[in-house]
Amino acid sequence: MSAPTLFRGAGRGSAGVVSGSRHDRGMRIPIAEGLVLRTAARHGVPGPVARELLAGSRPCLHLVAFRGLTLAQQEEARPAARTGGLPSLPDGVDWPDGRAPLVLTVDCAALPREALDIELPSDGSLLFFTQIEYEPESSVVVHVPAGTRTTERSAAYELDGEPEQVRVYQPDVLYPVPGLTVSPDWRDSPATSAFLDSGPDRDDILDDVEDAVRRAAAGGASHGVAVQLGGFSSPWQSAPDEGDLVLLAQIHGQSIDPGVYTQTLIVGTHEDIAGRRYETLEFEQQV
């Protein structure tokens, strides 16, 4: 039976970020060219500009609650993740140090793998432990391979002889929706720069096109405050996925608890994510 891999993620406070363009990484998985070109044409955006948008795009997966799916998507929905709840961990593995809450459990085998350009485990579960209500002091990702015997852990524990309890969020099932993200750097491309210089309303047009492309790619699913795996981040402040760092997960606080208005961004290199070196991940909370 395979042993689980258990690693602590690094905080963002002192860690450096390699500088570089988010646009330069390019794409590994083809995006539906026709979708982008048709959507751009409906908004009066020339083909060369649409192709630069396509070149500056990366695929992602949105993990959406059932109520956020369209009726057509609900008919074929298959669960792939769960928010909150208590963790099921292998024998001998307890809550990670710091006892950060479990915010997300992902069933890796249930993910449509062709929809991502980062490499996640092909089986088992990924468990994300982090604070979403305030800046996380410790954040951990755990991979539990398929077939590993596990036991659900209790939220109760003792600290200096006093009873304590880990924060447990209400469980909610999430469903995978393939999506598309766009790097802001694509507007620096030659055809797009020329388009922006050709009229005062061009920025608004490109904003509308980006929104329309993302809605179309997600099939109309409501993913504004969902969990996102892969793709470019949509940060409220500066983007942590710069240079060699790519997004593993973006977790909106409201997707875990409707009353929490934060955003947790988890980044690492393609190589470290593929190699399951989760101890190298960097966690950043934005408010």
Side-chain angles (χ1 to χ4, degrees):
M1 189 175 296
S2 301
T5 53
L6 173 60
F7 300 114
R8 179 184 306 282
R12 285 278 298 161
S14 59
V17 177
V18 180
S19 62
S21 169
R22 302 170 81 206
H23 175 78
D24 292 340
R25 280 193 288 269
M27 292 191 54
R28 295 184 181 181
I29 298 177
I31 294 297
E33 182 177 1
L35 180 148
V36 174
L37 295 179
R38 288 192 303 271
T39 303
R42 286 197 297 270
H43 287 78
V45 172
V49 177
R51 293 185 186 280
E52 288 179 347
L53 186 157
L54 187 65
S57 301
R58 289 184 58 218
C60 72
L61 276 175
H62 304 292
L63 298 179
V64 180
F66 191 78
R67 57 190 174 275
L69 301 175
T70 66
L71 292 177
Q73 290 170 335
Q74 289 177 355
E75 292 178 359
E76 300 181 355
R78 297 292 183 272
R82 185 200 70 183
T83 64
L86 291 168
S88 292
L89 294 169
D91 295 345
V93 177
D94 202 351
W95 284 89
D97 291 343
R99 296 188 181 271
L102 175 67
V103 296
L104 179 68
T105 301
V106 176
D107 179 358
C108 297
L111 299 176
R113 305 185 61 77
E114 70 281 357
L116 289 173
D117 64 359
I118 57 173
E119 186 177 339
L120 299 184
S122 59
D123 64 30
S125 299
L126 278 178
L127 282 65
F128 293 77
F129 296 83
T130 190
Q131 289 93 357
I132 61 171
E133 296 178 329
Y134 48 86
E135 188 74 22
E137 295 181 2
S138 65
S139 300
V140 177
V141 173
V142 179
H143 177 233
V144 180
T148 303
R149 194 176 81 174
T150 62
T151 304
E152 185 176 271
R153 295 294 183 262
S154 171
Y157 67 102
E158 284 192 4
L159 179 64
D160 297 331
E162 296 295 326
E164 300 284 349
Q165 181 143 332
V166 178
R167 177 76 162 89
V168 180
Y169 292 102
Q170 179 69 32
D172 194 5
V173 177
L174 301 180
Y175 300 82
V177 175
L180 175 66
T181 59
V182 183
S183 167
D185 297 332
W186 78 276
R187 300 192 187 198
D188 298 330
S189 303
T192 305
S193 294
F195 179 77
L196 287 168
D197 292 339
S198 67
D201 60 344
R202 298 302 190 249
D203 252 324
D204 292 338
I205 292 175
L206 294 186
D207 287 343
D208 291 343
V209 168
E210 283 191 33
D211 290 344
V213 164
R214 295 198 65 181
R215 285 196 304 272
S222 176
H223 57 81
V225 292
V227 175
Q228 178 183 309
L229 301 178
F232 290 112
S233 68
S234 300
W236 296 341
Q237 300 167 21
S238 60
D241 47 327
E242 291 279 1
D244 292 334
L245 297 176
V246 296
L247 186 74
L248 169 61
Q250 176 175 288
I251 303 173
H252 284 274
Q254 284 183 291
S255 65
I256 311 300
D257 183 326
V260 177
Y261 298 90
T262 63
Q263 183 185 62
T264 301
L265 303 142
I266 307 169
V267 298
T269 67
H270 271 294
E271 294 75 20
D272 285 342
I273 292 172
R276 306 182 192 179
R277 293 185 287 272
Y278 302 131
E279 78 278 12
T280 67
L281 295 175
E282 299 182 12
F283 291 69
E284 178 178 310
Q285 186 186 97
Q286 298 187 3
V287 294

